[in-house]
Amino acid sequence: MPNLLLELRSEEIPARMQRKAAGDLKKLVTDALVEAGLSYEGAREYWTPRRLALDIHGLTARSADVREERKGPRTDANEKAIEGFLRGAGLSSVSEAQVVSDPKKGDFYVAVISKPGRATEEIVSDIMPGIIRDFPWPKSMRWGNASSKPGALRWVRPLQSIVCTFGPEHEETTVIPFGIDGITASNITYGHRFHAPEAITVRRFDDYAANLEKAKVILDAERRKDIILHDARDIAFANGLELVEDEGLLEEVSGLVEWPQVLMGSFEEDYLSIPSEIIRLTIKTNQKCFVTRPQGGETLSNKFILVSNIQAKDGGKEIVHGNGKVVRARLSDALHFWKRDQGNLPDLETLTTSAAKFGLDLNKPLDQRMAKLDALDVTFHAKLGTQGARVARIRALAKELADITGAGAALVDRAAVLAKADLRTEAVGEFPELQGLMGRKYAVLQGEDASVAAAIEDHYKPQGPSDRVPEDRVAITIALADKLDTLIGFWAIDEKPTGSKDPFALRRAALGVVRILLERRIRLPLLATTQDIDLLSFFHDRLKVYLRDQGARHDLIDAVLTSDADDLLMVARRVEALTAFITSEDGKNLLSGTKRATQLLAAEEKKGTVIADSVSQALLKLDAEKELFAAISSASKDASDAVAGEDFRSAMEALSKLRGPVDRFFEDVLVNDEDAAIRANRLALLRLIREATGTVADFSKISG
């Protein structure tokens, strides 16, 4: 079967956009082909800084013929109905329609519409201009003389050429010459911008990829990443070092080069006095280079690894020299920031009021920065006030939370007032990614308690599902206070997430609270803390996501989670116990019996059947119903006592004793007895089953 090769070559595409753009191209093209009636065996996308490519193999040569029968009105319908039917079916008169007889409905018209299949070349030629013109780039541009005309092509960077060939695997291919804004698809591409700028004629994917590699272009991004990673490891090892690996940087660098050449540079060892995190971020952010460390060591070495797109004649000496100059200049700035942050601010006399407000010691650099943050009235949010006001709120909330987390009040207070201080440091001003971490380093330098220093860094955590959760009680307290203040504040001004939009990362904050409470086993009454049932519902949504990710069944979560449940740790423990119970044999059997009872009860309630307020033992006539009443009375007490003691597994075990009595009840007892009083009493007995099981879960919501 034929294969289709497509390449869109342009000026350099930003590295962060390449992988998604290649995936978008694959989806847009294959979806359009399938919608047009074609099928294919497989498709794979490729990308380099200057091209998006698509290899579709096993593509059918033409779409199938389509025959469709469209039912119309009765033959005696009014003229307008018949005209509308003919117009919609593309028929000029009723003579072109068939008449079909139905014994019940009479005679009616049927249009038989036949659509012949189309050649794949024709389909591709039709769909590609629209796909290119409407391509979903995050940002795009116009260029050249045509850019001033209405409807001019927009692309992420100027589009230079298009390759589109189609044909069998071992025969000649043809070019599908569609055009867009003066660019016509052909079988001509170009290799490396500097090493091989000459035109390359291609037929199909195999020779396309091979010829590009001869022209110093490695098409496969994963292979470029692999080359960079292994060459970087090798050059580091050869120098007695090891590479500090960085997947994000590796992905970015592989999108900056078509012919990766790995080189090693260096900087003066004096710069190693700067914290490793600053060195690494400086070199990564400014030069897209990797750092190294001694083998088995923790601190960095003064050697860095860069990736060039050029195979230089001098072995890369000038490239290394140029990168080294920039790295040294940036590290010089970083060293300046690092030293300045440890010194006094020049305007201490203006900070006394702020210092008094937060109990700060203006002899300490980090305290000075916190006072400065407050004195400058730095805005946190237009409707939520300044950063200083926010710190005051976090401080007050942390004081309340300390009683729950068991953290020392004095340490919590100190951590709260210093948590945001590093926002006024020059290091964080240059590298916002280091907020918290730099605060910890400066706190250690000025002799703060280890718990306070840890809390300054960790109160931002966890920042994602794979990020670690704080361990120190002080850090846990400040982390909860920080996230809860954010959520309470934005809920108060009605700035809630909508759909996929969450500009203030409130879902992440709520999930962080959920993870801290569950993973650190903290009992926090969220409703009492937040005073907002809608916000509690938001926490419930995040809890469901978290528990499902942990493997919990959604129906078991729903069975346990009530609208007013604000102790999330208890909810999680109930789900855990219910999961273990419901998969046991007793659990399965009890579920079956109780669901039958609750469903029958619900049906009678819906019909308005009279149900007794309580069970009358005098009306229990049969042994099976007497036995069930006694079993429920015993199991309810045992389950309630176990729940009160937060022993949910024992509560489940107590309820499991209902299994036999429930089964016998339904075998021996007719609930809807002719005697209305007996019927009402037996329905009341079923209600006791629902109430008993309801102490641990709503069994009616459990599937199975």
Side-chain angles (χ1 to χ4, degrees), residues 321-343:
H321 176 69
N323 276 267
K325 285 177 65 177
V326 178
V327 165
R328 282 188 285 275
R330 296 300 186 186
L331 288 178
S332 178
D333 290 343
L335 181 60
H336 175 71
F337 299 148
W338 171 242
K339 289 181 176 178
R340 289 253 306 186
D341 287 339
Q342 296 174 55

Side-chain angles (χ1 to χ4, degrees), residues 254-319:
S254 73
L256 298 174
V257 296
E258 292 190 317
W259 190 248
Q261 304 296 306
V262 177
L263 304 167
M264 176 173 278
S266 64
F267 54 84
E268 287 76 10
E269 291 190 358
D270 290 350
Y271 289 124
L272 294 177
S273 63
I274 306 170
S276 296
E277 294 84 0
I278 296 182
I279 296 174
R280 182 176 181 179
L281 200 55
T282 298
I283 293 176
K284 172 182 177 178
T285 302
N286 293 294
Q287 288 304 103
K288 313 303 179 190
C289 294
F290 297 86
V291 293
T292 64
R293 60 190 168 214
Q295 292 178 9
E298 293 293 330
T299 58
L300 299 183
S301 79
N302 68 325
K303 306 287 186 182
F304 64 91
I305 290 176
L306 62 103
V307 182
S308 170
N309 192 37
I310 299 174
Q311 191 171 340
K313 294 178 180 179
D314 66 353
K317 290 181 181 178
E318 281 300 314
I319 296 172

Side-chain angles (χ1 to χ4, degrees), residues 11 45 77 101 126 150 161 164 176 211 223 258 280 325 345 421 426 458-459 509 535 559 565 578 610 612 638 644 694:
E11 295 291 334
E45 71 274 30
S101 297
D126 281 352
S161 68
C164 190
I176 304 178
N211 286 334
R223 188 163 157 242
E258 292 190 317
R280 182 176 181 179
K325 285 177 65 177
L345 292 174
E426 295 193 38
D458 288 355
H459 82 280
L535 180 52
L578 183 58
V610 175
D638 292 344

Side-chain angles (χ1 to χ4, degrees), residues 50-51 189-200 211-217 258:
R50 300 174 62 221
R51 69 200 77 221
T189 189
Y190 296 84
H192 194 283
R193 182 189 294 277
F194 305 112
H195 290 308
E198 302 83 12
I200 301 170
N211 286 334
L212 279 181
E213 187 144 349
K214 290 176 185 175
K216 299 291 192 289
V217 174
E258 292 190 317

Side-chain angles (χ1 to χ4, degrees), residues 341-609:
D341 287 339
Q342 296 174 55
N344 290 330
L345 292 174
D347 52 353
L348 292 182
E349 68 281 355
T350 67
L351 306 179
T352 54
T353 301
S354 293
K357 185 192 304 184
F358 291 100
L360 298 166
D361 182 353
L362 291 182
N363 290 313
K364 296 182 176 181
L366 199 57
D367 291 56
Q368 295 174 21
R369 272 69 186 175
M370 177 56 220
K372 187 71 172 178
L373 183 71
D374 179 66
L376 288 174
D377 287 334
V378 176
T379 300
F380 168 61
H381 185 279
K383 296 180 181 179
L384 294 173
T386 66
Q387 286 283 7
R390 182 167 186 242
V391 169
R393 293 195 303 270
I394 292 173
R395 185 184 188 188
L397 183 53
K399 182 179 180 181
E400 296 178 16
L401 294 174
D403 292 335
I404 295 171
T405 62
L411 293 177
V412 164
D413 189 68
R414 181 64 173 160
V417 298
L418 292 180
K420 305 296 181 183
D422 68 354
L423 296 178
R424 288 304 306 168
T425 62
E426 295 193 38
V428 172
E430 181 72 11
F431 303 112
E433 304 95 321
L434 294 180
Q435 59 187 284
L437 188 146
M438 293 311 301
R440 179 176 190 163
K441 290 186 178 295
Y442 294 134
V444 170
L445 286 174
Q446 70 178 36
E448 298 296 333
D449 185 278
S451 290
V452 172
I456 293 172
E457 178 181 1
D458 288 355
H459 82 280
Y460 290 105
K461 297 183 178 298
Q463 292 188 309
S466 59
D467 195 15
R468 65 180 176 83
V469 172
E471 295 183 13
D472 184 277
R473 290 183 184 275
V474 176
I476 289 170
T477 307
I478 305 301
L480 286 172
D482 177 67
K483 293 167 178 58
L484 288 170
D485 174 75
T486 298
L487 290 160
I488 292 169
F490 282 105
W491 243 251
I493 63 173
D494 199 27
E495 290 278 3
K496 306 168 188 176
T498 55
S500 61
K501 296 181 179 180
D502 186 9
F504 303 110
L506 302 182
R507 291 189 181 95
R508 186 176 70 185
L511 184 57
V513 171
V514 169
R515 286 190 60 199
I516 292 171
L517 296 180
L518 270 55
E519 295 178 31
R520 296 296 173 250
R521 307 193 73 77
I522 295 171
R523 305 278 305 278
L524 175 64
L526 281 172
L527 188 55
T529 304
T530 63
Q531 302 292 316
D532 192 318
I533 192 71
D534 183 57
L535 180 52
L536 179 61
S537 176
F538 186 69
F539 277 114
H540 285 177
D541 291 340
R542 296 306 98 199
L543 176 65
K544 290 177 182 179
V545 171
Y546 176 81
L547 292 177
R548 285 199 295 266
D549 288 345
Q550 298 296 308
R553 281 169 38 182
H554 68 88
D555 59 322
L556 301 188
I557 300 171
D558 290 341
V560 166
L561 191 59
T562 59
S563 61
D564 60 348
D566 72 343
D567 187 340
L568 303 190
L569 178 59
M570 288 301 100
V571 172
R573 289 179 58 186
R574 283 175 180 257
V575 172
E576 181 183 357
L578 183 58
T579 300
F581 175 66
I582 217 66
T583 54
S584 69
E585 201 60 34
D586 280 346
K588 293 175 184 176
N589 291 325
L590 178 62
L591 175 62
S592 176
T594 55
K595 288 195 76 170
R596 183 177 176 184
T598 54
Q599 287 168 356
L600 194 159
L601 178 64
E604 295 302 320
E605 287 175 331
K606 189 174 183 180
K607 290 190 294 187
T609 305

Side-chain angles (χ1 to χ4, degrees), residues 130-304:
I131 288 174
I132 294 172
R133 190 172 295 280
D134 299 328
F135 201 80
W137 292 109
K139 292 184 179 180
S140 56
M141 61 180 289
R142 293 178 297 177
W143 63 92
N145 294 331
S147 64
S148 60
K149 299 177 182 177
L153 174 65
R154 299 182 68 92
W155 197 247
V156 63
R157 294 292 184 269
L159 188 62
Q160 297 178 328
S161 68
I162 301 171
V163 169
C164 190
T165 66
F166 180 69
E169 189 172 355
H170 301 296
E171 299 175 21
E172 279 304 310
T173 58
T174 59
V175 173
I176 304 178
F178 64 86
I180 182 167
D181 275 29
I183 303 172
T184 302
S186 69
N187 60 351
I188 303 297
T189 189
Y190 296 84
H192 194 283
R193 182 189 294 277
F194 305 112
H195 290 308
E198 302 83 12
I200 301 170
T201 302
V202 299
R203 292 173 297 172
R204 56 182 59 86
F205 179 78
D206 289 346
D207 71 284
Y208 165 74
N211 286 334
L212 279 181
E213 187 144 349
K214 290 176 185 175
K216 299 291 192 289
V217 174
I218 295 174
L219 184 64
D220 188 344
E222 296 303 323
R223 188 163 157 242
R224 292 198 305 275
K225 286 174 66 174
D226 191 62
I227 290 170
I228 294 168
L229 180 60
H230 285 85
D231 285 359
R233 286 172 176 169
D234 290 347
I235 196 171
F237 183 79
N239 285 270
L241 304 169
E242 64 183 24
L243 176 71
V244 177
E245 297 186 14
D246 186 325
E247 176 60 30
L249 179 58
L250 180 61
E251 173 79 8
E252 182 177 12
V253 170
S254 73
L256 298 174
V257 296
E258 292 190 317
W259 190 248
Q261 304 296 306
V262 177
L263 304 167
M264 176 173 278
S266 64
F267 54 84
E268 287 76 10
E269 291 190 358
D270 290 350
Y271 289 124
L272 294 177
S273 63
I274 306 170
S276 296
E277 294 84 0
I278 296 182
I279 296 174
R280 182 176 181 179
L281 200 55
T282 298
I283 293 176
K284 172 182 177 178
T285 302
N286 293 294
Q287 288 304 103
K288 313 303 179 190
C289 294
F290 297 86
V291 293
T292 64
R293 60 190 168 214
Q295 292 178 9
E298 293 293 330
T299 58
L300 299 183
S301 79
N302 68 325
K303 306 287 186 182
F304 64 91

